[in-house]
Structure formats: C-alpha cells, structure tokens
Amino acid sequence: MRKGHIFENELAKIIDHLNKTGIHAHKNHARRTVDGTYIEGEPFDYEVFAHGRLHCFDAKECHASRWNLSNAKLSQIKHLLNCKRHGADAFFLVLFTPGRVKKFDVELVRNALADGKRSLMPEEGDDWDWTELRQ
C-alpha cells in the first residue's frame, strides 16, 4: 500500500461524514492535464468549513517516534500561514503509528524549523479530535 494511504482513507471517511451532516469538507487535488500529467501540487491536503471557521491542514503519516520536519514542505507552510493570517485554523495533522493523531500548528512548525529543529515529538503537538468539527 502506498505511503500515507491508510490515513488518507480514514480522513476520506471523516470528510464524507462531515459533508453528510451539513459541514463542508473536501480534499484538495493536484492539477493535472486530461491524460494525468502532473502540472502543480495542491497547497495543502484538506479544507473544512465548520461553524464559521476554516480549518486547513496537510496530513502526514509517521512511522517513527519523531515527525521529521523535512516532510513539511516550505510551500505548504507558506500557504497554511497565509490561511492562518486570515483567521483559519491551519496545521499539520500527523498520524503516529499505531493510531495517535497529533495536530501541529503551522506556526509551531515554522518556528521549529527557524530554530534549526529537525523533528517534533508527539508530545509537542495537540491531540486532534475530529468530532470537535461537528459541534
């Protein structure tokens, strides 16, 4: 199975459920030509509009005890910071196997990189409960 596919499948179920309950949620997709040739990547993976607030995030899987910050692309950080500056909840959502999901605010990631950190531990992120989006 391709890397990140398990988490992507779980998030697809959450997105489907949120849309059925009247909340708008979607996965962004890369731009491609009709024949599938890659043109440009998406700025980040997901957007959820819930209760007057935009939630923007990029999803990652981590099979180690620390999340390697090289997996946070500078273009993703830039776009997520732009969203945060306009009031969005913007973050990286990381699945640490087995089954711990952590939310790393984009400013935390940017600051960690600026400080020369190469990785973040799960304890440095916040627990993420998708059901909060329904409330």
Side-chain angles (χ1 to χ4, degrees):
M1 185 169 283
R2 84 179 154 81
K3 185 178 175 185
H5 196 64
I6 294 169
F7 196 28
E8 230 177 65
N9 286 340
E10 291 304 310
L11 288 169
K13 293 175 190 174
I14 292 169
I15 296 297
D16 184 53
H17 175 78
L18 291 172
N19 281 313
K20 286 178 180 174
T21 63
I23 293 170
H24 175 78
H26 68 266
K27 180 173 184 349
N28 293 322
H29 295 282
R31 289 183 47 213
R32 297 183 183 275
T33 62
V34 174
D35 68 357
T37 303
Y38 176 86
I39 298 173
E40 178 182 42
E42 70 275 357
F44 45 83
D45 290 336
Y46 297 92
E47 296 178 39
V48 178
F49 300 92
H51 313 291
R53 186 139 193 230
L54 173 61
H55 305 266
C56 304
F57 61 95
D58 199 82
K60 307 289 186 188
E61 277 189 33
C62 180
H63 299 279
S65 61
R66 302 176 69 88
W67 176 47
N68 189 330
L69 291 174
S70 68
N71 291 313
K73 296 176 191 157
L74 293 178
S75 63
Q76 293 170 330
I77 294 169
K78 175 189 156 222
H79 289 291
L80 288 169
L81 282 170
N82 287 342
C83 292
K84 184 164 181 100
R85 285 186 192 108
H86 292 279
D89 182 19
F91 53 95
F92 287 89
L93 193 62
V94 180
L95 170 65
F96 287 89
T97 55
R100 292 190 309 172
V101 179
K102 292 294 187 165
K103 174 181 173 179
F104 294 97
D105 186 271
V106 66
E107 288 181 343
L108 171 76
V109 173
R110 179 199 57 198
N111 292 341
L113 285 167
D115 291 343
K117 288 183 112 177
R118 292 183 166 187
S119 62
L120 292 172
M121 298 193 60
E123 297 75 27
E124 295 176 83
D126 296 319
D127 291 331
W128 185 71
D129 180 3
W130 72 270
T131 61
E132 293 174 4
L133 297 170
R134 297 184 310 180
Q135 300 171 352

